[in-house]
Amino acid sequence: MARMKFLCDAERCIECNACVTACKNEHEVPWGINRRRVVTIQDGKPGERSISVACMHCSDAPCMAVCPVDCFYQTDEGVVLHSKDLCIGCGYCFYACPFGAPQYPQAGNFGSRGKMDKCTFCAGGPEEDHSSDEFQKYGRNRIAEGKLPLCAEMCSTKALLAGDGDVVSDIYRQRAVARGFGSGAWGWGTAYQRKTANR
Amino acid sequence: MFFKSKRMFLIFVLCGLTALTGCREAEQGRPLVKEKGVYEGPADTKVSDATLHKLRHRAARQGF
């Protein structure tokens, strides 16, 4: 089985933030932490694009490389998780992450941040599956139930895909073949009276 | 010299040796030597093959 990955289809994302809401609700994420967020570029202008961003569960995760206490680990499916018991809240993983995925619940004096929190691919943490400890620290463990991350399952346009990397890339490839790519994609020709891709 | 008498020096050495005995890992109840690059927290539960199959099937249903 290939690694578990997210893929956000920017052609379909409508910035509804259903993924953000679903994640916050399901895991009871504290105030001030956004495990997932929708980033929009060219807002209100032609070429506006939105993309849902969270931890990308990198194959060679920089957060794991820089952690001074090695609180990160990677499951057999490629999901990058960490132990909040070992985390010291130094913030190095935040500096290292190109997506800004690690977040901290506190903004206290003398730089105290609290334990790092991030997207877990709905795979919980090192605690026992479905235990109250696991839910309280990391949120729901949907992967252990055979369910995909809720953000992808709740996506209104199925822009956000999650799961086996081979399956996800196959879905995206079929979409790209059907509609074209970039400025050649369907709809743009109608809007700007340019030649559309043949279907 | 640093120590005013031999007795003071002896007391200092004895205190130092006593303090060193507190460094034994068994007495501390926690690992004292950190091996860099190795995760030393609790092990996570592995996902079964049946669950992986279910996940793959569920992922394929996203394609529409």
Side-chain angles (χ1 to χ4, degrees):
Chain A
M1 174 162 169
R3 291 171 172 272
M4 292 289 196
K5 292 289 181 188
F6 283 116
L7 191 155
C8 184
D9 188 346
E11 290 282 347
R12 285 201 182 192
C13 185
I14 57 171
E15 202 192 343
C16 67
N17 278 265
C19 50
V20 174
T21 309
C23 177
K24 270 193 96 74
N25 187 56
E26 179 74 351
H27 303 296
E28 294 184 10
V29 179
W31 272 77
I33 293 186
N34 293 309
R35 288 187 175 188
R36 180 168 283 286
R37 62 201 179 282
V38 179
V39 175
T40 303
I41 58 169
Q42 297 287 338
D43 202 359
K45 299 173 193 169
E48 175 177 338
R49 281 287 187 277
S50 295
I51 188 164
S52 178
V53 181
C55 175
M56 297 302 285
H57 299 280
C58 306
S59 301
D60 183 14
C63 55
M64 209 180 329
V66 303
C67 180
V69 294
D70 294 309
C71 73
F72 288 90
Y73 64 97
Q74 198 164 41
T75 67
D76 293 340
E77 295 75 45
V79 177
V80 176
L81 299 173
H82 75 295
S83 168
K84 289 194 179 186
D85 292 334
L86 296 177
C87 177
I88 60 172
C90 66
Y92 265 45
C93 50
F94 174 72
Y95 290 135
C97 179
F99 307 102
Q103 313 245 326
Y104 302 89
Q106 290 163 216
N109 294 330
F110 309 108
S112 62
R113 295 177 190 81
K115 304 288 183 175
M116 187 276 281
D117 187 76
K118 73 168 186 72
C119 161
T120 60
F121 208 86
C122 292
E127 313 290 346
E128 191 187 328
D129 286 350
H130 311 306
S131 63
S132 59
D133 268 352
E134 185 190 47
F135 179 73
Q136 193 259 322
K137 288 178 185 175
Y138 308 103
R140 193 83 61 198
N141 189 340
R142 292 174 56 87
I143 294 291
E145 296 172 39
K147 297 175 184 172
L148 292 172
L150 194 62
C151 49
E153 298 222 356
M154 290 292 278
C155 179
S156 47
T157 57
K158 283 289 173 272
L160 184 59
L161 303 168
D164 185 320
D166 287 340
V167 174
V168 162
S169 64
D170 199 48
I171 293 169
Y172 186 75
R173 183 188 56 77
Q174 287 172 10
R175 287 182 187 177
V177 164
R179 72 186 175 211
F181 181 77
S183 60
W186 62 17
W188 291 110
T190 308
Y192 298 103
Q193 280 153 30
R194 283 186 226 145
K195 188 179 170 184
T196 54
N198 293 327
R199 293 185 210 172
Chain B
M1 278 289 285
F2 192 72
F3 294 99
K4 286 188 180 166
S5 67
K6 274 187 184 175
R7 187 184 287 180
M8 286 290 293
F9 176 72
L10 207 60
I11 291 168
F12 176 78
V13 167
L14 282 170
C15 287
L17 287 172
T18 309
L20 281 173
T21 58
C23 291
R24 273 184 293 178
E25 197 164 322
E27 289 181 358
Q28 291 285 321
R30 59 186 172 93
L32 296 177
V33 178
K34 172 87 185 76
E35 197 181 335
K36 187 70 188 102
V38 176
Y39 170 73
E40 290 176 2
D44 202 349
T45 316
K46 289 192 185 297
V47 179
S48 67
D49 288 341
T51 307
L52 288 174
H53 178 77
K54 212 169 148 182
L55 285 165
R56 206 177 298 123
H57 179 69
R58 210 159 165 129
R61 282 167 54 191
Q62 294 175 112
F64 62 86

